[in-house]
Amino acid sequence: GLLQQLKSPYLRAGLAFLSGNDSPESLAYVLDQVGMDLRDRVGFALRFLSDTQLRRYLSTCLNEAVREGVLEGILITGVTTKNPGTRALLQSYVDRTGDLQTAALVACYAVNESYIHMPPTPERKGSAAAEQVRPPVDTFREWIHL
């Protein structure tokens, strides 16, 4: 029909949603539009899915992002040292792209809660992040010597 003739996933999703009267089928159609950015699909899911459906959908999206090495999955995991999804996502991204620098930059923003509550000392400044990044960087010998 008409939906298949539309090239834009956003137009397909909008038309399906507006003509579907919040039916489960129309919601699923919108959420399955892989041509739409993950942030838009997640925003739609946040607005229209129940808590149970939302958990299931986010889990599915995260699994896809990890499997495909899509860094946009950080929208779901956040950037933290406590979430194994973040580590899996970054590893998958590096495996797919070989872009260690971007993953290291993202990892620099990871917050370790125990590190925050410790009093600052000059020797500890940045050492936790450096130690997390050091093994893969050493492997690739990517250090810059000044």
Side-chain angles (χ1 to χ4, degrees):
L2 177 61
L3 289 178
Q4 286 71 31
Q5 293 176 6
L6 297 172
K7 293 184 192 238
S8 169
Y10 288 92
L11 287 175
R12 285 193 305 270
L15 184 59
F17 178 70
L18 292 173
S19 63
N21 297 322
D22 287 345
S23 71
E25 294 79 21
S26 68
L27 295 177
Y29 188 86
V30 172
L31 296 172
D32 289 340
Q33 292 301 308
V34 293
M36 291 174 53
D37 288 339
L38 179 61
R39 66 179 173 259
D40 294 328
R41 291 183 286 136
V42 167
F44 184 85
L46 286 168
R47 172 67 179 90
F48 292 104
L49 296 182
S50 69
D51 289 348
T52 303
Q53 293 170 319
L54 179 62
R55 279 189 204 94
R56 199 171 344 166
Y57 181 71
L58 292 177
S59 178
T60 299
C61 287
L62 178 59
N63 290 336
E64 285 178 18
V66 169
R67 186 178 60 248
E68 296 172 11
V70 177
L71 206 50
E72 192 179 20
I74 284 181
L75 172 73
I76 298 168
T77 66
V79 181
T80 176
T81 59
K82 293 187 178 193
N83 188 334
T86 303
R87 290 188 300 272
L89 185 63
L90 289 174
Q91 182 63 58
S92 177
Y93 173 77
V94 170
D95 291 345
R96 181 179 64 85
T97 65
D99 182 5
L100 184 62
Q101 289 177 336
T102 298
L105 182 62
V106 169
C108 286
Y109 286 96
V111 176
N112 183 338
E113 293 295 323
S114 63
Y115 190 77
I116 289 174
H117 299 293
M118 294 172 67
T121 61
E123 58 274 353
R124 196 177 38 110
K125 186 177 178 182
S127 64
E131 291 308 313
Q132 288 177 351
V133 173
R134 183 179 296 278
V137 172
D138 282 345
T139 301
F140 295 114
R141 293 184 175 87
E142 292 292 330
W143 291 113
I144 297 172
H145 298 285
L146 300 176

